[in-house]
Amino acid sequence: MPDTFFDELETRSADAREAAQLSALRSQLSRTGVEAEMNSLADLAKLPVLRKSDLTDRQKATPPFGGINVHNITHVFQSPGPIYEPGGSSHDWFRMGRFLHAAGLGADDIVQNCFGYHLTPAGHMFESGARAVGAKVLPAGVGQTELQVTAARDIGTTAYAGTPDYLKIILEKADEMGVALGIAKAAVGGGALFPSLRQYYIDRGISCLQCYATADVGNIAFESAAMDGMILDEGVIVEILTPGTGDPVPAGEVGEVVVTTLNPDYPLIRFATGDLSAIMEGTSPCGRTNRRIKGWMGRADQTTKIKGMFVRPEQVAALVAHHEEVCKARVVASRSGEQDVMTVHIESAGGDADHYAQSVTQLLKLKGKVVVVAPGSLPKDGLVIEDQRSYD
């Protein structure tokens, strides 16, 4: 098999792929005890959609995984909600190896893994992918940027894995310290890779590709060197549905990404990500034959990813409830330079920004600028989270 591809699955015919995925789907349904006749992948539409809120409720009733038939796990992670996700180490459990291979990473690379290792699964996800392509890993996590620069220099880091904007912070710190780094490849996720930021990396001699993954189902889609859409992973079945329903949208239209994972160790059927995207026509010029999506195009609900973390309407409601004098709050996501900025507008008859800043960090899990406004000042449009970032 040419080194261009991770394995032969990436270049199989559409018919061969559907037949194999249909067989795997029937096995998954058998594991979950679901009785439904599946004559084609389109028959998935007969089954209910599983939403994060459903999963949270199920996990509360039947901890820790909601009664889902889970096997061969070595880790348990926690994401906001809270939702508990299993993880395994016996193989590339989250299927990140395929993406890292497409991003050019291999046995000669040392990957500085700047995804979080605490509670959430991203660090482990990318580390398992690095093992799948034979790369060595520096488990750097987030923060302590000066130490990150020193380590990258000392061990000869060649590749970066992390959120799109944190690499820029590392590079700028290296410039400030007068340190030359050898990072030439970047595999990013957990946030939008804006065109201007990608160009910044290209101008510094760094190729930067992105994936689309979630803590629940792992890798869903990824870019290749062709940078023409995001190619669906071979281990998932992806549907694009009308938001809030179980009905597929017409071909090419924007809808909610719903994923069925074919991982036998954690069978999630029709899991609604809450993300918007659309199927693209044709296949990638790189030679991979699976379908492509246009990438992340926003949220089907108001939940928004800021600095690589989801901020949910329920968290904003908890912030309002935490202070009796607060009438309403509105989170605004914007950009400053190449970094995400979160501003929290709070309607209150009393209190100042510093008074509310601690609650914002505690309940939204992110630091942000706080602006206090008079009661009645915020728009009455139903939005509690507003994303002002441009994705063009």
Side-chain angles (χ1 to χ4, degrees):
M1 194 71 196
D3 289 341
T4 304
F5 306 111
F6 186 70
D7 57 26
E8 70 281 356
L9 300 183
E10 295 187 334
T11 56
R12 56 186 167 172
S13 69
D15 288 344
R17 179 175 291 108
E18 171 147 1
Q21 290 189 336
L22 182 59
S23 175
L25 172 62
R26 288 168 175 156
S27 297
Q28 289 291 70
L29 294 179
S30 176
R31 291 184 190 98
T32 59
V34 174
E35 295 184 7
E37 187 175 356
M38 291 284 135
N39 296 313
S40 72
L41 297 182
D43 287 338
L44 266 172
K46 300 175 182 176
L47 303 178
V49 170
L50 176 66
R51 301 201 169 274
K52 284 183 180 287
S53 57
D54 300 327
L55 190 55
T56 300
D57 292 342
R58 287 174 60 170
Q59 290 187 353
K60 288 178 180 177
T62 313
F65 303 122
I68 294 175
N69 198 5
V70 175
H71 294 285
N72 302 319
I73 69 169
T74 56
H75 294 73
V76 178
F77 303 101
Q78 184 198 72
S79 292
I83 292 177
Y84 295 96
E85 298 103 0
S89 299
S90 57
H91 54 89
D92 186 14
W93 216 79
F94 294 98
R95 305 176 313 282
M96 297 304 302
R98 192 177 300 283
F99 164 53
L100 296 186
H101 180 85
L105 277 68
D108 294 333
D109 286 299
I110 300 175
V111 184
Q112 192 142 333
N113 186 0
C114 294
F115 282 104
Y117 277 82
H118 180 225
L119 287 181
T120 56
H124 180 73
M125 289 167 64
F126 275 75
E127 182 162 316
S128 66
R131 286 199 299 270
V133 299
K136 294 169 282 293
V137 175
L138 172 66
V142 181
Q144 303 185 89
T145 308
E146 189 168 325
L147 289 178
Q148 300 256 12
V149 171
T150 301
R153 177 197 62 197
D154 291 349
I155 70 171
T157 293
T158 61
Y160 164 88
T163 56
D165 51 6
Y166 188 54
L167 175 57
K168 185 172 187 285
I169 294 173
I170 292 175
L171 295 173
E172 288 174 342
K173 176 59 72 173
D175 292 345
E176 179 186 313
M177 296 168 61
V179 172
L181 299 182
I183 297 174
K185 307 165 189 175
V188 303
L193 175 58
F194 292 89
S196 58
L197 184 56
R198 195 200 301 260
Q199 189 59 51
Y200 171 86
Y201 295 139
I202 291 172
D203 292 343
R204 296 192 62 136
I206 301 171
S207 64
C208 183
L209 299 180
Q210 62 184 324
C211 72
Y212 166 45
T214 76
D216 313 278
V217 298
N219 193 29
I220 297 170
F222 59 95
E223 287 186 318
S224 70
M227 289 192 290
D228 188 5
M230 303 187 82
I231 302 158
L232 295 181
D233 185 78
E234 298 294 334
V236 293
I237 301 169
V238 171
E239 303 170 87
I240 306 293
L241 307 183
T242 302
T245 76
D247 304 323
V249 302
E253 288 192 12
V254 176
E256 183 175 15
V257 178
V258 173
V259 180
T260 296
T261 173
L262 300 178
N263 179 358
D265 293 339
Y266 186 43
L268 281 180
I269 309 298
R270 298 199 93 197
F271 181 79
T273 64
D275 294 325
L276 296 174
S277 193
I279 296 290
M280 298 174 63
E281 291 185 3
T283 57
S284 172
C286 72
R288 293 172 176 83
T289 56
N290 207 346
R291 296 185 302 161
R292 296 170 297 161
I293 58 175
K294 292 183 178 179
W296 188 80
M297 300 175 69
R299 293 289 295 174
D301 59 16
Q302 292 179 39
T303 300
T304 302
K305 190 176 287 184
I306 307 173
K307 300 180 184 179
M309 293 290 290
F310 283 120
V311 178
R312 306 181 188 280
E314 305 93 282
Q315 292 171 282
V316 181
L319 175 64
V320 173
H322 194 67
H323 298 277
E324 288 184 0
E325 72 279 11
V326 173
C327 310
K328 185 188 293 187
R330 185 184 185 102
V331 172
V332 176
S334 59
R335 299 281 288 177
S336 177
E338 295 296 349
Q339 296 180 43
D340 286 348
V341 174
M342 182 178 76
T343 304
V344 183
H345 299 264
I346 292 178
E347 278 192 6
S348 174
D352 57 22
D354 291 339
H355 176 67
Y356 298 117
Q358 185 175 355
S359 296
V360 167
T361 303
Q362 176 188 348
L363 296 170
L364 302 188
K365 309 302 182 185
L366 289 172
K367 291 182 179 179
K369 178 182 178 182
V370 176
V371 177
V372 180
V373 299
S377 300
L378 294 177
K380 296 177 174 60
D381 56 7
L383 282 181
V384 295
I385 303 173
E386 178 185 0
D387 193 347
Q388 294 182 347
R389 296 167 295 186
S390 172
Y391 296 93
D392 295 333

